[in-house]
């Protein structure tokens, strides 16, 4: 038997076995408890990276563990395959996005199989498959019928580099989430999903997500952003129109002295038209719309604005308020118009100071008198109302509701609820996406494609080098069609759906990927949903997870699903990080391009940078294929699990990989080097074995079983679980199973190594499958049962007994408190420390004091 673990041969052997035997294929079984384990599916970029390896290894451990516990585990995999990267790559390489995408899928699938993940590949699909996206088109039409899908003209986030629209959630610090280039505002006709209709439910049902990280729940709660306040109408002077504002501070209404509009607010343009301010207003709007919205809302932003030339009237004071367009007002909050109260809001105060606008005090601190002309900052604390007509003298925090009631009575305003959440813009001006199934007829207007004519297929022949509009708009064969009502020549919608639509319901389709007469099989979905454990990155806390929750509720209302929430438990794993290397001449360098601090290309010194998330752009990456080729998949898996708890960032360490490799070899040797003893070992009566010198090993074994189970089940602390297994292996190396003629020690050793293989199999499945087979088991270890913790084995029922020879201390033994005297005597006489003092001598007497002493008298 070879003493070295041959990872390449053994891993390929078992991967082939799993595939040929469909070891992880699963079907609905009402007699068994189901467990749906899912990692967020990948975009098929062409190569997996260490982030993938870590994410999917975490999920695979849980899936295998639950399988061994006897649960009916579904663990599927597929591909989030529509999107801009494929289209951009196709342009660069002069190929078709479909060819690029499916070639990448083949590559990544082979890489995932090489890591030994326990996927049910029969459930695999890509979101760019017609068999998937045709049902999404049907769901779109259902949502249109329900009033949840609509089209309107709107300012949108526009990425010039990607030539497409972005949802608010896809803009990060003013930059495109994909290419990191500047995002500007552009007015286009767009399709939206009315996610705001579900805002209350999305917010309230967060309380039921007890298996989610508090951080993610807080992020969603903040993004939905429910606030209670008052909507107030301000009449525009000289016009039969009003500007409606939302405020949480109706108590300051009497101090409103000017109006601030968001640059995106339609009034910003219309109020200045035909005035001397029109040119300045347009220039200001154009400039501000290019700025980062996050920066625009920050407290330290320099407040800027421009007068529109128009005035509105304060509804309770009659004051003539100038209307400004201001850079700090966002259309996403409230109505995109803010009543400015400079005496009691710092932003408004700074703005008023800059443009010489009136400051009017309406809240005085008790015992003080504020003078507006001498104020250096806004007063934002509590106080008593002044200059507020009938409300004077009352505490401002107590009078808000009364002022709102007063406005309602006068038809000047009303109580209102506002959400930060806005409707989801899903139109994208790209080819490689799901076509929106609508037709535009000059006679009949906007017409949904009849369900019998679905799917609307993407054309195979297409020119992708189209700027400023969808490439589909230039494809006559796609655009030109006939109206389903009047049969006159008509045009198709040329926008495609945001790819987040595909990822908002894919987890449901996994339950029934072969269903060909409906989007979902209700019975199968009812069996499998909700997902019991979902695993993915924290970066999806607001984007994907919010949309998936919305879609689940919509499909529930359509009647396709019966759950309110899609994901019962959520784990957000940390990033894989590594130090960076940069040559002053050659730039960023891969780790293998540096030797002893020198650039291998030019020989100059390389600067060791900080530890950052692995990224191809700064070359601090490790190729999983090279790692597997050198050490094997089990080593790669073990390192990802052992280096850090899953929710924490993992710092790459070559030494850590080497350590994991050495541990794999130690486990391999402790079993293969002792197969001769193990094969001869018989099963034994463990109640008797407690007192035959094996209780320490059995105690350690069952403490390890308990520890590993709890660490996987309750905490996902795989690192501490592996550490416990390492301690068990150390004890096995110290245990001599060959010295006992009655085979009790060999039996205890056999029990321990059998359990060792089982405990480690979710983490290092290839090696453990091979060892399991060597240990004489016929069935795959993936089908074996998880070892059962025996509490009796860890109960401390032993005491330490000193052994004396002719009155002198010569050794110590452990013995059970109920062990008979003759057994204690045998153990004492067999003690290795005692043997040198009694060998070759006549034993005259042995005195046993149970629990205390064995005294041997020799001559």
């Amino acid at each position: 038997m070879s003493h070295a673990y041959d990872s390449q041969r053994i891993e390929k052997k078992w991967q082939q076995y799993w595939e040929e035997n469909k070891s992880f294929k699963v079907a609905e079984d009402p007699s068994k408890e189901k467990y749906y384990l899912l990692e967020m599916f990948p975009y098929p970029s062409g190569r997996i990276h260490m982030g993938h390896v870590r994410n999917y290894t975490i999920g695979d451990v849980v899936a295998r563990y639950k399988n061994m516990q006897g649960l009916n585990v579904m663990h599927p995999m597929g591909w989030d395959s529509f999107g801009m990267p494929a289209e951009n790559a196709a342009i660069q390489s002069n190929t078709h996005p479909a060819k690029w995408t499916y070639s990448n899928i083949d590559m990544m699938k082979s890489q995932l199989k090489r890591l030994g993940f326990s996927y049910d590949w029969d459930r695999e699909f890509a979101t760019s498959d017609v068999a998937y996206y045709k049902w999404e088109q049907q769901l779109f039409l259902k949502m249109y019928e329900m009033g949840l899908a609509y089209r309107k003209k709107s300012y949108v986030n526009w990425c010039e580099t990607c030539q497409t629209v972005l949802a608010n959630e896809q803009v990060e610090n003013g930059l495109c989430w994909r290419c990191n280039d500047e995002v500007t505002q552009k007015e286009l006709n767009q399709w939206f999903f009315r996610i705001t209709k579900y805002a209350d439910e999305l917010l309230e049902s967060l309380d039921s997500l007890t298996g989610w990280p508090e951080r993610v729940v807080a992020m969603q709660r903040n993004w939905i952003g429910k606030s209670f306040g008052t909507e107030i109408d301000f009449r525009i002077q000289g016009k039969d129109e009003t500007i409606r504002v939302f405020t949480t501070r109706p108590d300051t209404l009497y101090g409103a002295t000017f109006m601030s509009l968001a640059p995106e607010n339609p009034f910003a343009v219309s109020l200045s038209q035909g005035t001397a301010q029109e040119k300045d207003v347009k220039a200001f709007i154009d400039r501000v719309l290019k700025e980062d919205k996050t920066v625009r809302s920050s407290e330290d932003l320099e407040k800027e604005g421009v007068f529109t030339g128009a005035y509105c009237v304060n509804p309770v004071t009659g004051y003539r308020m100038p209307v400004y367009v201001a850079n700090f007002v966002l259309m996403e909050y409230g109505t995109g118009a803010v009543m400015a109260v400079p005496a009691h809001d710092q932003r408004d105060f700074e703005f008023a100071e800059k443009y010489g606008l009136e400051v009017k005090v309406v809240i005085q601190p008790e015992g003080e008198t504020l003078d507006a002309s001498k104020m250096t900052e806004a007063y934002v604390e509590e106080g008593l109302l002044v200059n507020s007509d009938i409300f004077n003298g009352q505490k401002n925090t107590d009078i808000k509701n009364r002022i709102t009631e007063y406005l309602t009575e006068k038809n000047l305003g009303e109580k209102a609820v506002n959400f930060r959440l806005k409707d989801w813009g899903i139109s994208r001006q790209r080819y490689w996406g799901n076509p929106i199934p609508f037709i535009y007829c000059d006679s009949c207007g906007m017409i949904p494609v009849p369900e019998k004519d679905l799917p609307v297929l993407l054309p195979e022949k297409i020119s992708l080098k189209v700027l400023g509009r969808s490439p589909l708009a230039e494809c006559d064969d796609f655009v030109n069609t006939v109206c389903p009502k009047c049969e006159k020549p008509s045009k198709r919608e040329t926008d495609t759906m945001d790819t987040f639509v595909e990822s908002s319901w894919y987890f449901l389709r996994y339950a029934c990927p072969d269903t060909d007469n409906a989007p979902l099989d209700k019975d199968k979905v009812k069996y499998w949903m909700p997902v019991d454990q979902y695993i993915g990155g924290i970066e999806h806390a607001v984007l994907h997870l919010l949309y998936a929750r919305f879609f689940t509720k919509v499909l529930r209302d359509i009647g396709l699903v019966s759950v309110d929430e899609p994901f019962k438990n959520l784990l957000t794993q940390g990033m894989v990080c590594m130090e960076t290397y940069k040559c002053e001449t050659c730039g960023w360098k891969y780790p293998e391009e540096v030797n002893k601090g020198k650039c291998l290309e030019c020989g100059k010194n390389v600067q060791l940078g900080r530890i950052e998330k692995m990224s191809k752009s700064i070359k601090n990456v490790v190729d999983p294929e090279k790692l597997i080729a050198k050490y094997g998949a089990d080593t790669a898996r073990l390192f990802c699990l052992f280096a850090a708890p899953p929710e924490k960032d993992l710092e790459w360490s070559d030494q850590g990989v080497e350590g994991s490799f050495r541990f794999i070899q130690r486990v391999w040797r402790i079993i293969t080097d002792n197969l001769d003893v193990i094969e001869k070992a018989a099963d034994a009566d463990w109640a008797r074995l407690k007192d035959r010198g094996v209780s320490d090993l059995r105690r350690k074994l069952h403490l390890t079983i308990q520890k590993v189970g709890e660490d996987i089940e309750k905490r996902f602390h795989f690192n501490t679980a592996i550490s416990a297994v390492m301690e068990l292996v150390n004890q096995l190396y110290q245990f001599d199973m060959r010295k006992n003629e009655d085979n009790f020690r060999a039996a205890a050793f056999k029990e321990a190594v059998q359990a060792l293989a089982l405990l480690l199999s979710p983490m290092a499945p290839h090696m453990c499958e091979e060892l399991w087979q060597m240990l004489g088991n016929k069935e795959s270890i993936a089908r074996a049962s998880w070892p059962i913790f025996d509490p009796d084995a860890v109960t401390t029922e032993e005491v330490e007994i000193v052994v004396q020879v002719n009155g002198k201390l010569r050794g110590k033994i452990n013995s059970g408190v109920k062990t008979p005297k003759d057994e204690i005597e045998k153990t004492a006489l067999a003690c290795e420390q005692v043997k040198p003092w009694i060998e070759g001598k006549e034993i005259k007497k042995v005195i046993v004091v149970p629990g205390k002493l064995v005294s041997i008298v020799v001559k």
Side-chain angles (χ1 to χ4, degrees):
M1 178 64 64
S2 170
H3 294 299
Y5 172 58
D6 183 353
S7 64
Q8 304 306 308
R9 178 185 65 82
I10 292 170
E11 289 177 357
K12 289 176 182 177
K13 167 188 171 181
W14 287 104
Q15 288 159 14
Q16 182 179 353
Y17 174 89
W18 295 328
E19 185 166 355
E20 290 176 352
N21 289 274
K22 292 188 178 293
S23 296
F24 308 109
K25 182 177 175 60
V26 68
E28 300 73 34
D29 184 349
S31 68
K32 296 178 70 175
E33 180 184 353
K34 68 91 180 177
Y35 191 85
Y36 185 178
L37 186 288
L38 183 63
E39 306 98 357
M40 295 179 187
F41 64 169
Y43 182 81
S45 57
R47 281 278 196 275
I48 63 169
H49 51 68
M50 288 309 303
H52 289 129
V53 176
R54 186 187 193 199
N55 184 14
Y56 301 144
T57 298
I58 291 168
D60 196 54
V61 170
V62 179
R64 287 176 175 274
Y65 168 74
K66 291 293 184 180
N67 222 328
M68 295 174 74
Q69 285 190 313
L71 277 65
N72 197 29
V73 178
M74 179 166 76
H75 188 204
M77 175 52 68
W79 311 96
D80 190 10
S81 52
F82 271 141
M84 290 180 291
E87 196 163 331
N88 293 338
I91 293 172
Q92 294 168 9
S93 60
N94 195 29
T95 188
H96 195 280
K99 182 179 180 181
W100 184 87
T101 298
Y102 286 97
S103 174
N104 287 349
I105 287 175
D106 290 342
M107 171 60 72
M108 293 180 69
K109 183 175 180 179
S110 68
Q111 291 178 309
L112 293 179
K113 286 186 174 182
R114 185 65 185 85
L115 281 155
F117 297 136
S118 59
Y119 295 129
D120 180 354
W121 284 108
D122 286 355
R123 295 178 182 271
E124 176 196 16
F125 61 80
T127 57
S128 54
D129 294 345
V130 175
Y132 182 79
Y133 78 71
K134 70 176 181 180
W135 298 117
E136 188 169 284
Q137 291 178 5
Q138 186 187 96
L139 294 176
F140 181 95
L141 296 179
K142 294 287 186 185
M143 293 174 73
Y144 178 76
E145 292 172 8
M146 297 167 69
L148 295 175
Y150 66 95
R151 190 172 185 255
K152 71 171 183 177
K153 203 161 192 176
S154 172
Y155 276 102
V156 293
N157 302 305
W158 178 259
C159 176
E160 190 66 25
T161 302
C162 295
Q163 287 288 302
T164 196
V165 172
L166 302 174
N168 290 336
E169 296 86 347
Q170 292 169 316
V171 181
E172 300 172 351
N173 298 319
L175 303 177
C176 172
W177 75 301
R178 283 200 182 275
C179 70
N180 285 324
D181 283 349
E182 181 184 68
V183 173
T184 59
Q185 295 292 299
K186 189 172 184 177
E187 193 172 29
L188 294 171
N189 277 315
Q190 296 289 293
W191 282 95
F192 291 84
F193 282 154
R194 206 180 301 276
I195 191 173
T196 51
K197 183 176 179 182
Y198 287 80
D200 268 320
E201 186 182 356
L202 287 167
L203 183 65
E204 291 167 4
S205 58
L206 285 172
D207 293 334
S208 69
L209 301 179
T210 55
W212 283 37
E214 291 183 9
R215 178 185 176 192
V216 175
V217 172
M219 290 169 74
Q220 290 219 357
R221 198 181 303 279
N222 180 63
W223 189 261
I224 296 168
K226 186 176 185 179
S227 56
F228 298 89
T230 308
E231 287 187 346
I232 307 171
D233 292 324
F234 291 74
R235 180 176 55 83
I236 300 172
Q237 186 174 350
K239 293 178 178 286
D240 190 23
E241 292 181 279
T242 60
I243 300 173
R244 173 159 281 210
V245 305
F246 172 84
T247 180
T248 58
R249 295 295 307 277
D251 53 310
T252 65
L253 174 58
Y254 285 84
T257 59
F258 63 95
M259 177 73 67
S260 300
L261 301 177
E264 302 91 339
N265 194 311
F267 279 124
V269 173
S270 65
L271 291 179
S272 65
Q273 286 176 341
T275 72
Q277 296 296 111
E278 182 175 3
K279 185 177 179 181
D280 289 344
V281 169
K282 184 179 185 306
F284 179 80
I285 292 174
D286 289 344
R287 176 169 63 84
V288 174
L289 290 182
K290 295 179 181 178
E291 296 176 356
D292 182 355
K293 289 183 180 179
T294 305
V295 173
R296 283 173 56 192
S297 61
S298 64
E299 292 184 4
D300 57 357
L301 172 76
E302 181 184 354
K303 311 304 182 290
E304 293 184 283
V306 61
F307 179 44
T308 63
Y311 293 84
C312 64
V313 179
N314 187 312
V316 293
T317 66
Y319 183 81
R320 185 169 174 258
M321 299 166 54
V323 181
Y324 278 75
V325 182
N327 64 341
F328 60 86
V329 182
L330 301 179
M331 197 67 197
E332 284 74 21
Y333 183 77
T335 63
V338 175
M339 66 173 204
V341 186
H344 305 292
D345 182 278
Q346 186 60 30
R347 293 184 311 172
D348 296 342
F349 181 84
E350 294 173 16
F351 194 90
E353 286 276 285
K354 184 169 185 174
Y355 294 102
L357 301 170
E358 182 176 348
V359 178
K360 180 182 178 182
V361 175
V362 291
I363 301 174
Q364 292 280 11
E366 293 189 46
E368 297 181 43
T369 301
L370 294 176
D371 184 344
S373 65
K374 296 179 181 179
M375 292 177 70
T376 58
E377 62 181 1
Y379 177 72
V380 296
E381 305 301 328
E382 297 179 4
L384 302 177
L385 291 180
V386 296
N387 299 320
S388 299
D389 197 21
I390 60 175
F391 303 106
N392 283 340
Q394 302 194 56
K395 193 169 183 178
N396 72 301
T397 52
D398 297 338
I399 203 65
K400 291 180 180 180
N401 287 336
R402 181 65 193 98
I403 292 176
T404 301
E405 292 170 0
Y406 173 79
L407 293 171
T408 304
E409 293 166 4
K410 300 293 184 181
N411 291 320
L412 299 172
E414 60 186 348
K415 185 180 293 186
V417 176
N418 183 70
F419 289 91
R420 180 177 180 238
L421 179 70
K422 300 302 176 186
D423 283 342
W424 174 12
I426 66 157
S427 290
R428 298 295 180 267
Q429 290 66 46
R430 306 301 290 177
Y431 162 73
W432 193 237
N434 192 359
I436 295 174
F438 261 80
I439 294 170
Y440 301 99
C441 173
D442 290 339
S443 300
C444 303
M446 192 169 71
I447 306 296
V449 174
E451 284 193 15
K452 66 180 180 62
D453 295 335
L454 297 179
V456 177
L457 296 172
L458 285 171
E460 292 186 7
K461 295 181 179 180
I462 188 81
S463 173
L464 301 178
K465 297 180 180 180
V466 179
L467 299 178
R469 59 194 301 212
S470 170
L472 292 172
E474 303 299 318
C475 182
D476 291 340
D477 290 344
F478 177 82
V479 173
N480 296 323
T481 185
V482 295
C483 174
K485 278 192 173 182
C486 68
E487 299 186 351
K488 291 181 180 179
S490 300
K491 304 288 186 183
R492 289 194 187 278
E493 171 63 75
T494 58
D495 285 354
T496 53
M497 298 185 210
D498 180 6
T499 55
F500 276 98
V501 178
E502 281 82 71
S503 60
S504 293
W505 70 287
Y506 79 103
F507 46 88
L508 296 164
R509 184 72 182 175
Y510 277 143
C512 50
D514 297 327
T515 299
D516 59 4
N517 60 350
L520 299 170
D521 182 311
K522 297 179 187 178
D523 292 336
K524 291 182 177 180
V525 171
K526 185 176 182 180
Y527 176 82
W528 288 113
M529 288 298 291
V531 175
D532 294 282
Q533 183 64 60
Y534 201 33
I535 302 173
I538 189 69
E539 66 271 17
H540 298 293
V542 172
L543 283 164
H544 161 59
L545 291 172
L546 183 64
Y547 295 154
R549 296 180 60 226
F550 163 62
F551 244 74
T552 300
K553 296 174 189 302
V554 170
L555 296 183
R556 175 204 61 196
D557 292 347
I558 291 174
L560 290 173
V561 304
S562 57
V563 295
D564 296 325
E565 289 289 340
F567 312 122
K568 184 177 180 181
N569 296 290
L570 173 69
L571 172 66
T572 53
Q573 89 282 352
M575 299 180 294
V576 180
C577 305
M578 189 178 185
E579 59 197 4
T580 58
Y581 302 91
K582 193 170 188 179
C583 172
E584 58 185 19
T585 301
C586 304
W588 298 109
K589 306 302 292 183
Y590 290 108
E592 59 268 24
E593 296 175 333
V594 179
N595 185 33
K596 296 181 179 179
K598 300 288 185 181
C599 174
L600 293 179
E601 182 178 352
C602 69
K604 292 184 179 179
N605 289 331
V606 171
Q607 181 181 356
L608 182 63
R610 65 183 182 182
I611 295 171
E612 297 187 47
K613 176 186 176 182
M614 282 190 176
S615 170
K616 292 180 182 178
S617 63
I618 55 176
K619 298 187 177 181
N620 64 333
V621 295
V622 173
D623 185 348
E625 284 195 308
K626 292 181 180 178
L627 183 70
I628 293 169
K630 184 175 181 180
Y631 295 104
D634 283 347
T635 294
R637 292 168 60 113
L638 201 69
F639 170 74
C640 287
L641 296 166
F642 185 61
E647 71 277 6
K648 303 292 185 182
D649 289 348
L650 183 156
E651 185 178 329
W652 186 263
S653 165
D654 290 336
Q655 293 77 16
V657 175
E658 289 281 356
S660 296
F661 179 71
R662 288 195 300 271
F663 176 64
I664 290 283
Q665 298 294 339
R666 275 175 60 80
V667 173
W668 178 259
R669 289 195 304 271
I670 193 64
I671 295 178
T672 57
D673 285 357
N674 296 289
L675 281 175
D676 59 329
V677 175
I678 297 169
E679 289 169 356
K680 296 176 183 177
D683 293 334
D685 181 352
W686 295 123
R688 293 181 62 210
L689 280 174
K690 284 183 180 181
D691 304 312
R692 299 304 294 265
V694 298
S695 55
D696 282 350
L697 178 61
R698 296 204 72 241
R699 182 184 303 110
K700 185 65 176 179
L701 169 62
H702 284 275
L703 285 173
T704 305
I705 292 171
Q706 181 185 42
K707 172 71 172 171
V708 173
E710 289 181 352
D711 280 349
I712 296 176
E713 182 79 39
K714 298 179 180 179
R715 294 177 286 271
F716 288 176
H717 283 186
F718 310 112
N719 57 326
T720 55
I722 293 170
S723 181
V725 175
M726 288 177 171
E727 291 179 10
L728 174 62
V729 172
N730 288 339
Q731 188 148 338
L732 284 170
Y733 268 95
Q734 297 167 8
F735 185 79
D736 185 356
M737 79 298 298
R738 298 172 182 268
K739 70 176 184 179
N740 190 283
E741 293 182 0
D742 59 13
N743 208 31
F744 283 131
R745 297 178 71 84
F749 185 81
K750 179 180 180 179
E751 180 202 25
V753 295
Q754 290 262 22
L756 169 63
L758 292 168
L759 291 172
L760 203 56
S761 65
M763 294 88 158
H766 307 88
M767 177 186 67
C768 292
E769 283 277 21
E770 188 74 6
L771 292 174
W772 190 246
Q773 187 180 68
M774 289 180 179
L775 290 168
N777 299 287
K778 303 300 182 184
E779 190 178 43
S780 164
I781 199 169
R783 290 284 171 263
S785 296
W786 189 254
I788 298 173
F789 167 64
D790 180 3
D792 289 340
V794 302
T795 303
T796 304
E797 295 183 349
E798 290 188 348
V799 290
E800 187 177 69
I801 298 176
V802 297
V803 182
Q804 294 178 346
V805 179
N806 291 342
K808 292 185 177 181
L809 177 64
R810 298 304 185 188
K812 295 178 181 179
I813 61 171
N814 291 319
S815 177
V817 293
K818 297 180 180 179
T819 304
K821 286 185 177 183
D822 61 333
E823 290 289 341
I824 296 174
E825 179 178 332
K826 287 181 182 179
T827 303
L829 293 172
C831 177
E832 295 294 332
Q833 299 165 306
V834 174
K835 279 184 178 180
W837 303 99
I838 62 176
E839 285 180 347
K841 298 178 181 178
E842 180 185 355
I843 297 176
K844 302 289 290 183
K845 185 189 300 182
V846 178
I847 301 171
V848 177
V849 182
K852 293 183 180 181
L853 170 73
V854 175
S855 178
I856 305 171
V857 180
V858 297
K859 181 177 179 183

